[in-house]
Amino acid sequence: MKYQPLTIGKKTAHIPIVQGGMGVGISRSRLAGAVAKAGGIGIISSAQIGYDEPDFEKDVQNCNIRAIKKHVQLAKAQADQGLVGVNVMVALQHYADHVKAATEAGADLIVCGAGLPVDLPELVEDSDIGIVPIVSSRKSASVLLRMWDKKYKRTADMLVIEGPLAGGHLGFSFDQLDNLSSLNYDQEIKEILEEKKIYEQKYSKNIPVVAGGGIFDSSHVQHIMDLGVNGVQVATRFVATEECDASPAYKQAYIQASEKDIAIIKSPVGMPGRAIRNAFIRRIEKEQIPIEHCFHCIKKCIPAKIPYCITQALIHAVKGDLENGLIFCGANVGKIKEITTVPNLIKELMDL
């Protein structure tokens, strides 16, 4: 497959693959560092990243800040000059603090989704860290880029487009998910590419675009690249690697899943989410699970009104308690049949 390196500002990844950020604890330093070392862009998720720190329940915020800095430094040490970024959800209560911690730790880029990061340029101030919003439509890209232009006289260093087949939280309504597919979403990708040209011209800079959602093999990569994007974002495939930070049981859930096991759920974040149907999902479809401890993770969360604690559910899953855990996944998880390694997966995806 013919491809060009992915350049973000003055920094370059030799392989145009961005590993999607997966919280809680699925993509930390081990996975991100391995992807960066293999030539792609490794992404650490800041969402409750300090879940296994000994004082986490007593001091959630400081544990997360400490863990962000620790995992960025560990990933950078492993990356051999490769690029390491941090995914920070805008919906987090301490979103701004996470962005600042990642910047201080020396991350190469900040990727923000689960809301529009309207103040991201202000949070990174004068650092050379790349600012990368996740968008799912031309409308959201237009609103954000126009706002950054007007308020900060700055534009994005890269755009990530997440389509309707992605895993985890999705930037679409339930109705949209019923009517969108990878094929009819192609036009939206082309529209976003047109929108970003406005700001490329105004700022005399290249704004690379990567797109993802349901990418499983090299044919999917080629299809997306043929639309005119500069690279791809892949998340689900990286879970079933030796280097992924998740427990062996979590990885086995991916291998054992079939297409009929995939569910679209309503997350306490207020967005649809794609996950593997298991005992936990069957339970929340029938009843509310009482909140035993609030981790103060999501801005708009009201513990008394939500059906379950997403932090607790994701912690159970990453540790291997799958009966009580939420297992986010992409639409093609049912095609995964074995554990591989990050270098081998990248070679497969890029048809090297």
Side-chain angles (χ1 to χ4, degrees):
M1 183 184 303
K2 293 183 178 180
Y3 61 87
Q4 297 294 321
L6 191 57
T7 299
I8 307 168
K10 296 180 180 179
K11 302 173 181 178
T12 299
H14 299 295
I15 305 291
I17 289 181
V18 177
Q19 162 249 310
M22 297 170 282
V24 169
I26 306 301
S27 62
R28 297 201 297 182
S29 55
R30 190 161 182 261
L31 176 57
V35 173
K37 185 176 182 179
I41 299 178
I43 302 294
I44 295 166
S45 169
S46 80
Q48 306 298 51
I49 187 174
Y51 76 92
D52 56 353
E53 294 288 315
D55 52 338
F56 180 68
E57 291 201 6
K58 295 180 180 179
D59 193 0
V60 174
Q61 169 61 351
N62 282 327
C63 284
N64 284 330
I65 296 300
R66 186 164 71 234
I68 289 168
K69 294 181 177 180
K70 176 177 74 176
H71 283 284
V72 168
Q73 291 163 2
L74 286 171
K76 291 289 287 183
Q78 180 185 349
D80 192 22
Q81 307 302 312
L83 301 190
V84 173
V86 177
N87 179 296
V88 183
M89 293 171 56
V90 179
L92 294 177
Q93 280 195 28
H94 300 286
Y95 148 74
D97 294 330
H98 286 205
V99 170
K100 291 176 181 178
T103 304
E104 291 170 3
D108 295 297
L109 61 154
I110 297 285
V111 181
C112 288
L116 291 180
V118 294
D119 58 349
L120 184 56
E122 180 180 345
L123 295 177
V124 301
E125 298 179 335
D126 297 325
S127 75
D128 65 351
I129 194 168
I131 53 175
V132 183
I134 296 174
V135 296
S136 294
S137 67
R138 181 170 189 167
K139 181 180 179 180
S140 60
S142 176
V143 167
L144 184 66
L145 294 178
R146 190 185 314 123
M147 190 176 300
W148 282 4
D149 174 43
K150 183 176 181 180
K151 187 173 182 179
Y152 300 109
K153 305 295 187 253
R154 184 171 178 180
T155 194
D157 295 301
M158 183 170 76
L159 292 176
V160 172
I161 303 173
E162 280 192 2
L165 301 182
H169 292 114
L170 304 167
F172 304 91
S173 68
F174 284 93
D175 288 340
Q176 286 175 320
L177 290 173
D178 287 337
N179 296 299
L180 283 171
S181 70
S182 58
L183 291 178
N184 60 26
Y185 190 66
D186 288 354
Q187 184 57 38
E188 194 69 49
I189 293 175
K190 293 177 182 178
E191 290 290 330
I192 295 171
L193 290 172
E194 287 300 311
E195 183 67 28
K196 68 103 175 185
K197 289 179 182 178
I198 299 170
Y199 298 92
E200 285 184 320
Q201 293 173 0
K202 181 166 186 176
Y203 286 90
S204 299
K205 67 176 286 184
N206 179 52
I207 304 173
V209 174
V210 301
I215 293 178
F216 181 80
D217 58 26
S218 61
S219 68
H220 294 152
V221 174
Q222 187 67 66
H223 173 78
I224 292 290
M225 298 286 279
D226 286 346
L227 297 176
V229 302
N230 306 94
V232 294
Q233 177 179 272
V234 180
T236 295
R237 288 294 314 267
F238 281 108
V239 172
T241 61
E242 294 176 4
E243 297 90 342
C244 180
D245 296 271
S247 68
Y250 194 103
K251 298 175 188 181
Q252 284 300 315
Y254 269 47
I255 292 172
Q256 294 168 7
S258 65
E259 185 177 351
K260 65 181 179 59
D261 295 321
I262 300 171
I264 301 294
I265 63 166
K266 184 176 181 180
S267 165
V269 175
M271 304 168 73
R274 180 175 280 110
I276 295 175
R277 183 179 297 278
N278 62 352
F280 176 78
I281 288 182
R282 288 191 288 272
R283 181 181 175 188
I284 63 174
E285 288 174 339
K286 297 177 181 178
E287 62 182 12
Q288 181 176 350
I289 299 177
I291 310 301
E292 298 177 356
H293 177 81
C294 180
F295 294 90
H296 305 287
C297 57
I298 305 301
K299 292 174 184 175
K300 297 181 180 180
C301 178
I302 302 174
K305 295 184 178 181
I306 59 173
Y308 61 94
C309 172
I310 191 166
T311 285
Q312 191 64 73
L314 291 171
I315 289 175
H316 282 317
V318 73
K319 288 184 174 181
D321 180 6
L322 305 186
E323 292 298 302
N324 296 296
L326 176 60
I327 312 167
F328 278 142
C329 67
N332 284 319
V333 67
K335 296 179 180 179
I336 297 176
K337 302 302 179 187
E338 61 183 2
I339 301 292
T340 184
T341 66
V342 163
N344 286 341
L345 176 57
I346 288 177
K347 289 177 182 177
E348 175 193 333
L349 291 170
M350 301 308 298
D351 196 20
L352 297 176

